PDB file of all heavy atoms in Angstrom:
ATOM      1  N   PHE A1059     -30.275   3.564 -56.166  1.00 97.00           N
ATOM      2  CA  PHE A1059     -30.266   2.152 -56.349  1.00 97.00           C
ATOM      3  C   PHE A1059     -31.690   1.595 -56.206  1.00 97.00           C
ATOM      4  O   PHE A1059     -32.208   0.854 -57.002  1.00 97.00           O
ATOM      5  CB  PHE A1059     -29.295   1.427 -55.381  1.00 97.00           C
ATOM      6  CG  PHE A1059     -29.238  -0.050 -55.590  1.00 97.00           C
ATOM      7  CD1 PHE A1059     -28.196  -0.545 -56.249  1.00 97.00           C
ATOM      8  CD2 PHE A1059     -30.219  -0.915 -54.987  1.00 97.00           C
ATOM      9  CE1 PHE A1059     -28.060  -1.996 -56.442  1.00 97.00           C
ATOM     10  CE2 PHE A1059     -30.131  -2.287 -55.218  1.00 97.00           C
ATOM     11  CZ  PHE A1059     -29.062  -2.780 -55.915  1.00 97.00           C
ATOM     12  N   ASP A1060     -32.405   2.011 -55.097  1.00 95.00           N
ATOM     13  CA  ASP A1060     -33.784   1.604 -54.906  1.00 95.00           C
ATOM     14  C   ASP A1060     -34.701   1.995 -56.048  1.00 95.00           C
ATOM     15  O   ASP A1060     -35.625   1.337 -56.400  1.00 95.00           O
ATOM     16  CB  ASP A1060     -34.306   2.169 -53.605  1.00 95.00           C
ATOM     17  CG  ASP A1060     -33.686   1.461 -52.330  1.00 95.00           C
ATOM     18  OD1 ASP A1060     -33.078   0.430 -52.559  1.00 95.00           O
ATOM     19  OD2 ASP A1060     -33.773   2.066 -51.221  1.00 95.00           O
ATOM     20  N   TRP A1061     -34.413   3.248 -56.509  1.00 95.00           N
ATOM     21  CA  TRP A1061     -35.213   3.802 -57.658  1.00 95.00           C
ATOM     22  C   TRP A1061     -34.979   2.923 -58.891  1.00 95.00           C
ATOM     23  O   TRP A1061     -35.886   2.510 -59.595  1.00 95.00           O
ATOM     24  CB  TRP A1061     -34.776   5.238 -57.822  1.00 95.00           C
ATOM     25  CG  TRP A1061     -35.695   6.086 -58.591  1.00 95.00           C
ATOM     26  CD1 TRP A1061     -36.786   6.708 -58.080  1.00 95.00           C
ATOM     27  CD2 TRP A1061     -35.554   6.490 -59.971  1.00 95.00           C
ATOM     28  NE1 TRP A1061     -37.371   7.430 -59.096  1.00 95.00           N
ATOM     29  CE2 TRP A1061     -36.577   7.307 -60.216  1.00 95.00           C
ATOM     30  CE3 TRP A1061     -34.617   6.250 -60.970  1.00 95.00           C
ATOM     31  CZ2 TRP A1061     -36.815   7.986 -61.438  1.00 95.00           C
ATOM     32  CZ3 TRP A1061     -34.781   6.832 -62.147  1.00 95.00           C
ATOM     33  CH2 TRP A1061     -35.820   7.691 -62.436  1.00 95.00           C
ATOM     34  N   MET A1062     -33.729   2.588 -59.117  1.00 96.00           N
ATOM     35  CA  MET A1062     -33.331   1.754 -60.285  1.00 96.00           C
ATOM     36  C   MET A1062     -33.946   0.331 -60.101  1.00 96.00           C
ATOM     37  O   MET A1062     -34.467  -0.188 -61.107  1.00 96.00           O
ATOM     38  CB  MET A1062     -31.806   1.525 -60.289  1.00 96.00           C
ATOM     39  CG  MET A1062     -31.022   2.802 -60.631  1.00 96.00           C
ATOM     40  SD  MET A1062     -30.916   3.163 -62.318  1.00 96.00           S
ATOM     41  CE  MET A1062     -30.227   4.886 -62.309  1.00 96.00           C
ATOM     42  N   PHE A1063     -33.941  -0.184 -58.966  1.00 96.00           N
ATOM     43  CA  PHE A1063     -34.554  -1.521 -58.734  1.00 96.00           C
ATOM     44  C   PHE A1063     -36.026  -1.537 -58.956  1.00 96.00           C
ATOM     45  O   PHE A1063     -36.600  -2.426 -59.571  1.00 96.00           O
ATOM     46  CB  PHE A1063     -34.175  -2.016 -57.291  1.00 96.00           C
ATOM     47  CG  PHE A1063     -34.731  -3.431 -57.065  1.00 96.00           C
ATOM     48  CD1 PHE A1063     -34.017  -4.515 -57.618  1.00 96.00           C
ATOM     49  CD2 PHE A1063     -35.888  -3.659 -56.418  1.00 96.00           C
ATOM     50  CE1 PHE A1063     -34.432  -5.821 -57.401  1.00 96.00           C
ATOM     51  CE2 PHE A1063     -36.332  -4.942 -56.150  1.00 96.00           C
ATOM     52  CZ  PHE A1063     -35.601  -6.074 -56.694  1.00 96.00           C
ATOM     53  N   SER A1064     -36.720  -0.423 -58.558  1.00 95.00           N
ATOM     54  CA  SER A1064     -38.164  -0.409 -58.762  1.00 95.00           C
ATOM     55  C   SER A1064     -38.483  -0.325 -60.292  1.00 95.00           C
ATOM     56  O   SER A1064     -39.453  -0.897 -60.722  1.00 95.00           O
ATOM     57  CB  SER A1064     -38.838   0.712 -58.000  1.00 95.00           C
ATOM     58  OG  SER A1064     -38.348   1.969 -58.520  1.00 95.00           O
ATOM     59  N   PHE A1065     -37.597   0.328 -61.059  1.00 96.00           N
ATOM     60  CA  PHE A1065     -37.840   0.399 -62.449  1.00 96.00           C
ATOM     61  C   PHE A1065     -37.444  -0.995 -63.117  1.00 96.00           C
ATOM     62  O   PHE A1065     -38.031  -1.371 -64.167  1.00 96.00           O
ATOM     63  CB  PHE A1065     -37.057   1.533 -63.140  1.00 96.00           C
ATOM     64  CG  PHE A1065     -37.810   2.789 -63.137  1.00 96.00           C
ATOM     65  CD1 PHE A1065     -37.755   3.600 -62.061  1.00 96.00           C
ATOM     66  CD2 PHE A1065     -38.626   3.155 -64.250  1.00 96.00           C
ATOM     67  CE1 PHE A1065     -38.559   4.849 -62.039  1.00 96.00           C
ATOM     68  CE2 PHE A1065     -39.367   4.291 -64.197  1.00 96.00           C
ATOM     69  CZ  PHE A1065     -39.278   5.183 -63.160  1.00 96.00           C
ATOM     70  N   HIS A1066     -36.494  -1.696 -62.507  1.00 96.00           N
ATOM     71  CA  HIS A1066     -35.989  -2.911 -63.110  1.00 96.00           C
ATOM     72  C   HIS A1066     -37.170  -3.984 -62.957  1.00 96.00           C
ATOM     73  O   HIS A1066     -37.348  -4.789 -63.846  1.00 96.00           O
ATOM     74  CB  HIS A1066     -34.792  -3.383 -62.302  1.00 96.00           C
ATOM     75  CG  HIS A1066     -33.968  -4.417 -63.027  1.00 96.00           C
ATOM     76  ND1 HIS A1066     -33.056  -4.022 -64.042  1.00 96.00           N
ATOM     77  CD2 HIS A1066     -33.852  -5.693 -62.904  1.00 96.00           C
ATOM     78  CE1 HIS A1066     -32.454  -5.130 -64.482  1.00 96.00           C
ATOM     79  NE2 HIS A1066     -32.893  -6.108 -63.824  1.00 96.00           N
ATOM     80  N   VAL A1067     -37.838  -4.025 -61.764  1.00 95.00           N
ATOM     81  CA  VAL A1067     -38.901  -5.014 -61.583  1.00 95.00           C
ATOM     82  C   VAL A1067     -40.286  -4.456 -61.861  1.00 95.00           C
ATOM     83  O   VAL A1067     -41.277  -5.113 -61.645  1.00 95.00           O
ATOM     84  CB  VAL A1067     -38.831  -5.591 -60.117  1.00 95.00           C
ATOM     85  CG1 VAL A1067     -37.473  -6.140 -59.846  1.00 95.00           C
ATOM     86  CG2 VAL A1067     -39.113  -4.522 -59.092  1.00 95.00           C
ATOM     87  N   MET A1068     -40.337  -3.180 -62.309  1.00 94.00           N
ATOM     88  CA  MET A1068     -41.532  -2.576 -62.755  1.00 94.00           C
ATOM     89  C   MET A1068     -42.608  -2.488 -61.653  1.00 94.00           C
ATOM     90  O   MET A1068     -43.810  -2.714 -61.863  1.00 94.00           O
ATOM     91  CB  MET A1068     -42.144  -3.289 -63.984  1.00 94.00           C
ATOM     92  CG  MET A1068     -41.228  -3.329 -65.187  1.00 94.00           C
ATOM     93  SD  MET A1068     -41.878  -4.017 -66.613  1.00 94.00           S
ATOM     94  CE  MET A1068     -42.865  -2.640 -67.250  1.00 94.00           C
ATOM     95  N   ASP A1069     -42.137  -2.381 -60.370  1.00 91.00           N
ATOM     96  CA  ASP A1069     -43.024  -2.062 -59.334  1.00 91.00           C
ATOM     97  C   ASP A1069     -42.585  -0.787 -58.713  1.00 91.00           C
ATOM     98  O   ASP A1069     -41.619  -0.781 -57.905  1.00 91.00           O
ATOM     99  CB  ASP A1069     -43.103  -3.145 -58.270  1.00 91.00           C
ATOM    100  CG  ASP A1069     -44.140  -2.904 -57.155  1.00 91.00           C
ATOM    101  OD1 ASP A1069     -44.564  -1.693 -57.043  1.00 91.00           O
ATOM    102  OD2 ASP A1069     -44.471  -3.845 -56.514  1.00 91.00           O
ATOM    103  N   TYR A1070     -43.320   0.296 -58.963  1.00 88.00           N
ATOM    104  CA  TYR A1070     -42.814   1.624 -58.618  1.00 88.00           C
ATOM    105  C   TYR A1070     -43.300   2.111 -57.216  1.00 88.00           C
ATOM    106  O   TYR A1070     -42.908   3.150 -56.747  1.00 88.00           O
ATOM    107  CB  TYR A1070     -43.259   2.651 -59.702  1.00 88.00           C
ATOM    108  CG  TYR A1070     -42.970   2.094 -61.090  1.00 88.00           C
ATOM    109  CD1 TYR A1070     -44.089   1.565 -61.858  1.00 88.00           C
ATOM    110  CD2 TYR A1070     -41.735   2.042 -61.652  1.00 88.00           C
ATOM    111  CE1 TYR A1070     -43.862   0.948 -63.036  1.00 88.00           C
ATOM    112  CE2 TYR A1070     -41.548   1.428 -62.857  1.00 88.00           C
ATOM    113  CZ  TYR A1070     -42.569   0.993 -63.609  1.00 88.00           C
ATOM    114  OH  TYR A1070     -42.403   0.360 -64.793  1.00 88.00           O
ATOM    115  N   VAL A1071     -44.044   1.184 -56.561  1.00 84.00           N
ATOM    116  CA  VAL A1071     -44.561   1.467 -55.204  1.00 84.00           C
ATOM    117  C   VAL A1071     -43.976   0.542 -54.180  1.00 84.00           C
ATOM    118  O   VAL A1071     -43.331   1.071 -53.238  1.00 84.00           O
ATOM    119  CB  VAL A1071     -46.106   1.381 -55.192  1.00 84.00           C
ATOM    120  CG1 VAL A1071     -46.611   1.771 -53.840  1.00 84.00           C
ATOM    121  CG2 VAL A1071     -46.761   2.285 -56.270  1.00 84.00           C
ATOM    122  N   GLU A1072     -44.120  -0.718 -54.444  1.00 83.00           N
ATOM    123  CA  GLU A1072     -43.658  -1.670 -53.356  1.00 83.00           C
ATOM    124  C   GLU A1072     -42.341  -2.341 -53.625  1.00 83.00           C
ATOM    125  O   GLU A1072     -41.837  -3.053 -52.820  1.00 83.00           O
ATOM    126  CB  GLU A1072     -44.767  -2.771 -53.250  1.00 83.00           C
ATOM    127  CG  GLU A1072     -46.102  -2.329 -52.889  1.00 83.00           C
ATOM    128  CD  GLU A1072     -46.216  -2.249 -51.357  1.00 83.00           C
ATOM    129  OE1 GLU A1072     -46.232  -3.284 -50.696  1.00 83.00           O
ATOM    130  OE2 GLU A1072     -46.276  -1.126 -50.805  1.00 83.00           O
ATOM    131  N   GLU A1073     -41.754  -2.207 -54.878  1.00 83.00           N
ATOM    132  CA  GLU A1073     -40.512  -2.836 -55.264  1.00 83.00           C
ATOM    133  C   GLU A1073     -40.605  -4.382 -55.137  1.00 83.00           C
ATOM    134  O   GLU A1073     -39.754  -5.086 -54.844  1.00 83.00           O
ATOM    135  CB  GLU A1073     -39.362  -2.371 -54.447  1.00 83.00           C
ATOM    136  CG  GLU A1073     -39.103  -0.824 -54.642  1.00 83.00           C
ATOM    137  CD  GLU A1073     -37.961  -0.353 -53.819  1.00 83.00           C
ATOM    138  OE1 GLU A1073     -37.095  -1.089 -53.443  1.00 83.00           O
ATOM    139  OE2 GLU A1073     -37.948   0.881 -53.509  1.00 83.00           O
ATOM    140  N   ASP A1074     -41.857  -4.871 -55.484  1.00 85.00           N
ATOM    141  CA  ASP A1074     -42.134  -6.308 -55.387  1.00 85.00           C
ATOM    142  C   ASP A1074     -42.078  -6.907 -56.791  1.00 85.00           C
ATOM    143  O   ASP A1074     -42.850  -6.527 -57.684  1.00 85.00           O
ATOM    144  CB  ASP A1074     -43.457  -6.548 -54.813  1.00 85.00           C
ATOM    145  CG  ASP A1074     -43.910  -7.982 -54.822  1.00 85.00           C
ATOM    146  OD1 ASP A1074     -43.081  -8.857 -55.052  1.00 85.00           O
ATOM    147  OD2 ASP A1074     -45.104  -8.236 -54.589  1.00 85.00           O
ATOM    148  N   PRO A1075     -41.187  -7.864 -57.110  1.00 84.00           N
ATOM    149  CA  PRO A1075     -41.014  -8.359 -58.476  1.00 84.00           C
ATOM    150  C   PRO A1075     -42.141  -9.335 -58.867  1.00 84.00           C
ATOM    151  O   PRO A1075     -42.186  -9.710 -60.110  1.00 84.00           O
ATOM    152  CB  PRO A1075     -39.666  -9.150 -58.336  1.00 84.00           C
ATOM    153  CG  PRO A1075     -39.358  -9.398 -56.961  1.00 84.00           C
ATOM    154  CD  PRO A1075     -40.086  -8.320 -56.180  1.00 84.00           C
ATOM    155  N   SER A1076     -43.045  -9.684 -58.017  1.00 87.00           N
ATOM    156  CA  SER A1076     -44.095 -10.656 -58.371  1.00 87.00           C
ATOM    157  C   SER A1076     -45.332  -9.911 -58.924  1.00 87.00           C
ATOM    158  O   SER A1076     -46.457 -10.115 -58.354  1.00 87.00           O
ATOM    159  CB  SER A1076     -44.435 -11.552 -57.220  1.00 87.00           C
ATOM    160  OG  SER A1076     -43.316 -12.287 -56.872  1.00 87.00           O
ATOM    161  N   ASN A1077     -45.206  -8.990 -59.774  1.00 90.00           N
ATOM    162  CA  ASN A1077     -46.360  -8.180 -60.253  1.00 90.00           C
ATOM    163  C   ASN A1077     -46.738  -8.528 -61.661  1.00 90.00           C
ATOM    164  O   ASN A1077     -45.946  -9.046 -62.462  1.00 90.00           O
ATOM    165  CB  ASN A1077     -46.121  -6.711 -60.110  1.00 90.00           C
ATOM    166  CG  ASN A1077     -44.953  -6.235 -60.959  1.00 90.00           C
ATOM    167  OD1 ASN A1077     -45.155  -5.959 -62.134  1.00 90.00           O
ATOM    168  ND2 ASN A1077     -43.791  -6.066 -60.416  1.00 90.00           N
ATOM    169  N   LYS A1078     -47.992  -8.242 -62.074  1.00 92.00           N
ATOM    170  CA  LYS A1078     -48.549  -8.617 -63.358  1.00 92.00           C
ATOM    171  C   LYS A1078     -47.947  -7.885 -64.541  1.00 92.00           C
ATOM    172  O   LYS A1078     -47.744  -8.416 -65.556  1.00 92.00           O
ATOM    173  CB  LYS A1078     -50.070  -8.396 -63.386  1.00 92.00           C
ATOM    174  CG  LYS A1078     -50.819  -9.420 -62.513  1.00 92.00           C
ATOM    175  CD  LYS A1078     -50.901 -10.811 -63.268  1.00 92.00           C
ATOM    176  CE  LYS A1078     -51.571 -11.812 -62.390  1.00 92.00           C
ATOM    177  NZ  LYS A1078     -50.819 -12.215 -61.209  1.00 92.00           N
ATOM    178  N   LEU A1079     -47.595  -6.591 -64.265  1.00 94.00           N
ATOM    179  CA  LEU A1079     -47.010  -5.788 -65.302  1.00 94.00           C
ATOM    180  C   LEU A1079     -45.694  -6.387 -65.849  1.00 94.00           C
ATOM    181  O   LEU A1079     -45.439  -6.568 -67.029  1.00 94.00           O
ATOM    182  CB  LEU A1079     -46.793  -4.259 -64.807  1.00 94.00           C
ATOM    183  CG  LEU A1079     -46.287  -3.302 -65.805  1.00 94.00           C
ATOM    184  CD1 LEU A1079     -47.289  -3.087 -66.876  1.00 94.00           C
ATOM    185  CD2 LEU A1079     -45.966  -1.980 -65.180  1.00 94.00           C
TER     186      LEU A1079
END
Side-chain angles (χ1 to χ4, degrees):
Chain A
F1059 184 99
D1060 286 346
W1061 201 78
M1062 295 275 169
F1063 184 78
S1064 66
F1065 272 87
H1066 200 82
V1067 303
M1068 302 184 80
D1069 183 343
Y1070 317 100
V1071 182
E1072 298 274 291
E1073 298 180 25
D1074 174 16
S1076 299
N1077 65 80
K1078 287 287 177 288
L1079 184 65

